[in-house]
Amino acid sequence: MKKIIRVTTVPISLGGLLKGQLNFMTNHMKVIGISSNGDGKLAEVSQEEGIEVIPVEMTRKITPIKDLKAVYHLYKIFKEEKPDIVHSHTPKAGTLSMLAAKLAGVPNRLHTIAGMPLLEATGVKRSVLDFVERITYACATKIYPNSFGLYDIIVDNNYTTRDKLKVIGNGSSNGIDTSHFDPALFSLQDKEELKKSLGIDETDFIYIFVGRWVRDKGINELITAFKRINNENSDTKLLLLGRYEKELDPVLPETEKEIETNPNIINVGWQNDVRPYFSIADVLTFPSYREGFPNVVMQASAMGMSSIVTNINGCNEIISDRENGLIIPVKDADSLYNAMRELAQNQNLAQQLAIGARPRIMELYERKAVWKSLLNEYKTLLT
């Protein structure tokens, strides 16, 4: 039986971003997962996906000594296991595992690009990240951008040649399970009870954001825009799901203060199940600066919601302006405010945009279709 090793920097990516995919692949090949241990989280991935796992400590920051140790550890694993394919996700895991796999002589070295943090970097940091990116691409035999927009960015920056690049299916690293993200699963009573528990009135218009509360996700612009909306119309609420990453990408102090003090910003923190909150919201607000192929926008659309997104790759592939949502410029709080205001004032428009959201997801990004497309790619490479 053919053997594949899948590598991510942290186990939440291995078991979350690729949920179900690893188990699906075990029907066709032996699958081993590698990631940092994550306080025992890697063992949970092993149990949930039914795969063997091997912990290799990797950091998300640039840590040269730890990185070299990780490369050596990965190299030893690859030499011992002799996989037919090493397939990595997330930036740090990609660089370390592609280098180690090349040194170990692994024939198929695959890396999925699901976003490029370096796009927001400048100066020396950007130069370093560009160099690291080129190392990853040089060591890989195939690069899979998970959106067509990312494909174009990679080509425009001359990171690698077109013959190494391919988008699997219609994009996305794992697609979406539309039987799980289904608004029909939540009754009117369920929604009324949740609204009541959160202090939301039936007349309130509800915006929702799901993701990391960081600068790159457009949180500063979102809070600025919502504050203006809310001052004009007190029957508006903003549901925030997620958490800060203050060490990596902090928001402005005034943004954090507004989140903590505005009674109409409802901070529910990190939630393992975001569906109940989508079920009561009216519009997803997702003003991100950069993405690969955003799961949150797929999830909201599958739950039958319209979305306000920025004009970036991934977002502008899932959302078509004025068809299933609104597309606005990046880093533009005024445009975000105008879009949020328009949908609150014209709720019929918000509902019309929502009608086309779920069918588009079901047609293009159903999870099992994405898995089958990737499996076909593996089979092609292995023959």
Side-chain angles (χ1 to χ4, degrees):
M1 179 178 280
K2 299 294 185 180
K3 183 188 293 186
I4 182 170
I5 297 180
R6 303 292 293 271
V7 190
T8 65
T9 309
V10 294
I12 192 173
S13 299
L14 195 65
L17 294 179
L18 302 178
K19 184 177 177 63
Q21 186 182 129
L22 305 180
N23 181 261
F24 170 81
M25 293 298 173
T26 62
N27 296 313
H28 307 277
M29 59 189 70
K30 178 176 175 59
V31 180
I32 297 174
I34 293 179
S35 188
S36 301
N37 191 38
D39 295 326
K41 296 293 183 183
L42 187 59
E44 294 178 14
V45 175
S46 174
Q47 185 174 6
E48 290 170 4
E49 297 290 332
I51 63 169
E52 178 186 344
V53 295
I54 303 173
V56 174
E57 291 309 310
M58 291 174 274
T59 65
R60 293 171 64 187
K61 297 181 179 180
I62 299 173
T63 51
I65 295 176
K66 291 181 179 179
D67 295 344
L68 286 172
K69 288 181 178 179
V71 169
Y72 181 62
H73 193 176
L74 289 164
Y75 168 80
K76 289 199 300 182
I77 293 169
F78 298 156
K79 290 294 285 186
E80 181 178 340
E81 295 290 343
K82 296 180 172 56
D84 300 283
I85 296 173
V86 170
H87 187 175
S88 59
H89 297 255
T90 64
K92 177 59 78 69
T95 302
L96 302 184
S97 61
M98 290 298 96
L99 178 57
K102 184 174 179 63
L103 293 172
V106 178
N108 296 289
R109 306 178 299 276
L110 320 178
H111 179 57
T112 291
I113 306 291
M116 301 179 75
L118 63 82
L119 295 177
E120 288 299 315
T122 57
V124 174
K125 183 178 180 181
R126 175 62 185 263
S127 298
V128 171
L129 292 175
D130 271 338
F131 175 71
V132 171
E133 195 80 3
R134 293 180 193 281
I135 290 175
T136 305
Y137 291 53
C139 292
T141 55
K142 293 288 287 188
I143 296 290
Y144 301 122
N146 72 347
S147 74
F148 292 98
L150 269 180
Y151 181 106
D152 292 337
I153 290 170
I154 292 167
V155 170
D156 291 344
N157 283 274
N158 296 312
Y159 287 129
T160 191
T161 54
R162 289 180 184 270
D163 62 313
K164 272 195 180 184
L165 295 172
K166 184 176 182 179
V167 177
I168 301 296
N170 296 301
S172 171
S173 299
N174 202 37
I176 186 166
D177 182 354
T178 57
S179 67
H180 182 72
F181 285 92
D182 184 350
L185 297 175
F186 298 88
S187 68
L188 182 61
Q189 182 179 350
D190 292 333
K191 292 186 278 190
E192 288 176 346
E193 288 178 355
L194 180 55
K195 283 185 178 182
K196 185 177 180 180
S197 71
L198 296 171
I200 296 174
D201 296 329
E202 284 301 314
T203 56
D204 285 337
F205 189 82
I206 307 168
Y207 305 101
I208 187 171
F209 172 89
V210 179
R212 296 175 295 117
W213 303 343
V214 296
R215 184 188 66 90
D216 277 8
K217 291 292 184 183
I219 291 293
N220 293 320
E221 289 83 358
L222 175 58
I223 299 305
T224 297
F226 178 74
K227 185 177 180 180
R228 288 178 65 186
I229 293 281
N230 197 229
N231 285 337
E232 297 171 0
N233 180 1
S234 60
D235 291 335
T236 52
K237 295 286 192 295
L238 174 60
L239 270 175
L240 284 184
L241 279 69
R243 57 191 169 208
Y244 296 108
E245 287 190 357
K246 296 181 181 181
E247 292 183 1
L248 292 174
D249 188 15
V251 299
L252 294 171
E254 53 265 36
T255 295
E256 186 173 346
K257 181 180 179 181
E258 187 70 19
I259 290 172
E260 304 304 329
T261 60
N262 188 329
N264 290 318
I265 297 177
I266 303 171
N267 170 359
V268 296
W270 178 268
Q271 297 292 323
N272 290 326
D273 189 358
V274 298
R275 296 173 303 159
Y277 301 92
F278 279 137
S279 76
I280 64 170
D282 295 291
V283 175
L284 172 70
T285 48
F286 197 72
S288 182
Y289 295 179
R290 59 171 184 84
E291 291 293 326
F293 204 90
N295 287 323
V296 168
V297 182
M298 284 197 296
Q299 292 167 356
S301 297
M303 290 294 291
M305 294 177 58
S306 55
S307 300
I308 300 170
V309 302
T310 41
N311 191 20
I312 58 172
N313 60 277
C315 288
N316 57 18
E317 295 170 46
I318 301 167
I319 301 300
S320 295
D321 193 40
R322 302 280 165 178
E323 292 184 16
N324 57 343
L326 301 179
I327 298 178
I328 61 169
V330 182
K331 303 180 184 179
D332 191 334
D334 289 338
S335 294
L336 178 58
Y337 159 78
N338 289 332
M340 292 171 70
R341 184 170 179 265
E342 179 179 7
L343 294 186
Q345 290 184 340
N346 187 353
Q347 296 183 25
N348 286 334
L349 174 60
Q351 292 168 3
Q352 289 171 9
L353 295 175
I355 291 172
R358 180 171 169 81
R360 181 176 175 85
I361 296 298
M362 296 178 72
E363 178 186 358
L364 297 177
Y365 307 115
E366 179 59 53
R367 176 160 289 178
K368 289 184 179 179
V370 174
W371 294 349
K372 289 177 182 177
S373 294
L374 182 59
L375 177 61
N376 287 337
E377 176 71 1
Y378 288 157
K379 288 180 176 178
T380 300
L381 294 172
L382 293 173
T383 54

